[in-house]
Amino acid sequence: MSEDAQMPVPPSGEVPAAGVPSEAQVLEALKVVKDPEIPVNVVDLGLIYGVDIAEGGLVDITMTLTSVGCPVQDLIRADAEMAVGRLDGVSSVNVEFVWTPPWGPDKMTDDGKRQMRMFGFNI
């Protein structure tokens, strides 16, 4: 790369620290995490509210679930931590569940809605 060439800036506008994954890489890794009750990944369901990546590879994920008291909360947390923890440069993953704003189908991506329709859900 020439001296004048610049690294691409992710959509969030923040340039990731050297050696740590970008927000896009974290979100892509999270696409393997699915709610066992709904056959769509947590990203396309719109459950991820925020990703913060600190120097040293600490990744904080703020997310919600489709309902308060979801019986698979611990499973989803473990799956998310494992999926993101596999990325190069990640030293620690912290998943925090929040309930505000509440989740609704309007938070789903178009791809998530398409997947839901394929499985017979009326979205």
Side-chain angles (χ1 to χ4, degrees), residues 29-30 32-36 42 72-86 95:
L30 285 169
V32 302
V33 179
K34 295 186 178 181
D35 182 326
V42 296
V72 294
Q73 179 175 334
D74 291 337
L75 175 65
I76 292 173
R77 178 193 313 271
D79 287 353
E81 290 172 348
M82 190 179 327
V84 174
R86 291 182 180 141
V95 175

Side-chain angles (χ1 to χ4, degrees), residues 19-120:
V20 298
S22 67
E23 180 178 344
Q25 289 171 311
V26 170
L27 291 172
E28 189 62 33
L30 285 169
K31 286 187 176 182
V32 302
V33 179
K34 295 186 178 181
D35 182 326
E37 298 174 327
I38 303 173
V40 178
N41 70 70
V42 296
V43 175
D44 287 327
L45 274 174
L47 300 178
I48 306 301
Y49 285 179
V51 173
D52 183 45
I53 304 155
E55 283 189 47
L58 172 61
V59 178
D60 287 312
I61 299 165
T62 304
M63 66 181 295
T64 194
L65 296 170
T66 56
S67 65
V68 176
C70 178
V72 294
Q73 179 175 334
D74 291 337
L75 175 65
I76 292 173
R77 178 193 313 271
D79 287 353
E81 290 172 348
M82 190 179 327
V84 174
R86 291 182 180 141
L87 293 173
D88 288 340
V90 173
S91 61
S92 177
V93 181
N94 176 51
V95 175
E96 179 184 359
F97 290 102
V98 297
W99 308 109
T100 304
W103 179 85
D106 60 306
K107 297 200 181 331
M108 295 175 68
T109 65
D110 289 339
D111 194 41
K113 291 175 184 176
R114 182 187 56 76
Q115 292 174 58
M116 292 287 284
R117 286 190 296 271
M118 283 177 34
F119 287 107

